[in-house]
Every structure is written in C-alpha cells, then in structure tokens.
Amino acid sequence: MDIANEKKPVDYLAYFTKQLPRDLAAMATLRDELEKRQCAMTAVEATLKIKNEAVALREQASAELDSARKEAKAIADEAKVRTDLTVAREKAADQREKELDARDRTLNAALAAREKAVSDRESVVATSERDLSAREAKLANAQTKLDNDAAALDARIKAFQSKVAALNV
C-alpha cells in the first residue's frame, strides 16, 4: 500500500500492452515448470512409496524365509531323529534276527540229534523185535519139540508101565 503516494503512478495501458504479455508468458513458463516439478515430485513420491513397499515386502520375505528356514531345520531335525530311531530299530531287529537264527540252528541241531537218537532206538527196537521173533520161533519150535518129546516119553512110560504090569500080573 502506498499511502504517501510516493511511487509513481502505474500506466495501465503500457502495462497491459507491454508488460502483461511478458508476465503471462513468464507465468505460463513458471506454471509449466511447476507442473514438471510437481510431476517429478509425484514421481519421486510414487518411487518412494514403491521403494517403501519393496522394503516392506523384502522384510516380509526375509521374515518368511527365516520362518521357512527354521521350519525346514525343525523338519530336518525331526527327520534325523526318526532316521536314527529307524536305524536303531533296524539294528535291534537285525540283532534279534541273528539271535533267533542262532537259536533256530541250535534247536534244529538238537532236533536232528533227537531224531537220530530216535532213529537209532527204532533200529535197536527193530533189531530186538527181529531177535525176539526169531527167539519166539525157536522157542515155539522147541516147545513143539518138547511137547512131542513129552508125548513120546509119556507113550514110552505107558508102554513100560504096561510091560511092567504085564510082568506083574
């Protein structure tokens, strides 16, 4: 505000004809530059937003990767424990199988020995039965001969008694 009116008065005609087009051109240039800068600022803001989102996504991916690694390590540890347990069970089963095989061989050897002993006893019994049958046959023959001899002796005794009786009569 110019109260004292110390400035020289503005010549509006000269201003509108000479200065205003220059000022409008300068303002249009400023507007275009401001628009470019605003676009650049918007691009920078968008880039920063994208960068921040990328950083957040990276952090999230890193956290998920760490979680997945921990989970994979836990699964690997569990698998190792199960593998060790399976190996221990297989070793125990192999040992048990060896023990059972040894016991089976021992029992088979004992069974074979018993079968041989039974076979030997059967052959001894068969031999004894054959000998007994032969002895029974001899004994039957001897009994038959004895019966025949006893009958013949009885006949001779009766004949002798009849002779003695005939002599005594």
Coordinates of all heavy atoms in Angstrom, one line a residue, residues 127-141:
T127 N 15.7 -154.3 15.6 CA 16.6 -155.5 15.7 C 16.2 -156.4 16.9 O 16.2 -157.6 16.7 CB 18.0 -155.0 15.9 OG1 18.4 -154.1 14.9 CG2 19.0 -156.1 16.0
S128 N 15.8 -155.8 18.0 CA 15.4 -156.5 19.1 C 14.1 -157.3 18.8 O 13.9 -158.5 19.2 CB 15.1 -155.6 20.3 OG 16.3 -155.0 20.8
E129 N 13.2 -156.7 18.1 CA 11.9 -157.4 17.7 C 12.2 -158.5 16.8 O 11.6 -159.6 16.9 CB 11.0 -156.4 17.0 CG 10.3 -155.4 18.0 CD 9.4 -154.4 17.3 OE1 9.3 -154.4 16.0 OE2 8.7 -153.7 18.0
R130 N 13.2 -158.3 15.8 CA 13.5 -159.4 14.9 C 14.1 -160.6 15.7 O 13.8 -161.7 15.5 CB 14.5 -158.9 13.9 CG 13.9 -158.2 12.7 CD 14.8 -158.1 11.6 NE 16.1 -157.5 11.9 CZ 16.4 -156.2 11.9 NH1 15.4 -155.3 11.6 NH2 17.6 -155.7 12.2
D131 N 15.1 -160.2 16.7 CA 15.7 -161.2 17.5 C 14.6 -161.9 18.4 O 14.6 -163.1 18.5 CB 16.8 -160.6 18.4 CG 18.0 -160.2 17.7 OD1 18.2 -160.6 16.5 OD2 18.8 -159.4 18.2
L132 N 13.7 -161.1 18.9 CA 12.6 -161.7 19.7 C 11.7 -162.6 18.9 O 11.4 -163.7 19.4 CB 11.8 -160.5 20.4 CG 10.7 -161.0 21.3 CD1 11.3 -161.7 22.5 CD2 10.0 -159.8 21.8
S133 N 11.4 -162.2 17.7 CA 10.6 -163.0 16.8 C 11.3 -164.3 16.5 O 10.7 -165.4 16.5 CB 10.3 -162.3 15.5 OG 9.5 -161.2 15.8
A134 N 12.6 -164.2 16.2 CA 13.4 -165.4 15.9 C 13.5 -166.3 17.2 O 13.3 -167.5 17.1 CB 14.8 -165.0 15.5
R135 N 13.6 -165.7 18.3 CA 13.7 -166.5 19.6 C 12.3 -167.1 19.9 O 12.2 -168.3 20.3 CB 14.1 -165.6 20.8 CG 15.5 -165.3 20.8 CD 15.9 -164.4 22.0 NE 17.3 -164.0 22.0 CZ 17.8 -163.2 22.9 NH1 17.0 -162.7 23.8 NH2 19.1 -162.9 22.9
E136 N 11.2 -166.3 19.6 CA 9.9 -166.9 19.8 C 9.7 -168.1 18.8 O 9.1 -169.1 19.2 CB 8.8 -165.8 19.6 CG 8.7 -164.9 20.7 CD 7.6 -163.8 20.5 OE1 7.1 -163.7 19.4 OE2 7.4 -163.0 21.4
A137 N 10.2 -167.9 17.6 CA 10.0 -169.0 16.6 C 10.8 -170.2 17.1 O 10.3 -171.4 17.1 CB 10.5 -168.6 15.3
K138 N 12.1 -170.0 17.6 CA 12.9 -171.1 18.1 C 12.2 -171.7 19.4 O 12.2 -172.9 19.5 CB 14.3 -170.6 18.5 CG 15.2 -170.4 17.4 CD 16.6 -170.0 17.9 CE 17.5 -169.6 16.8 NZ 18.8 -169.2 17.3
L139 N 11.7 -170.8 20.2 CA 11.0 -171.3 21.4 C 9.8 -172.1 21.0 O 9.5 -173.1 21.7 CB 10.6 -170.1 22.3 CG 10.1 -170.4 23.7 CD1 11.0 -171.3 24.5 CD2 9.7 -169.2 24.4
A140 N 9.0 -171.6 20.0 CA 7.8 -172.3 19.6 C 8.2 -173.7 19.1 O 7.6 -174.7 19.3 CB 7.0 -171.5 18.6
N141 N 9.3 -173.7 18.3 CA 9.8 -175.0 17.7 C 10.3 -175.9 18.9 O 10.0 -177.1 18.9 CB 11.0 -174.7 16.7 CG 10.5 -174.1 15.4 OD1 9.3 -174.3 15.1 ND2 11.4 -173.5 14.7

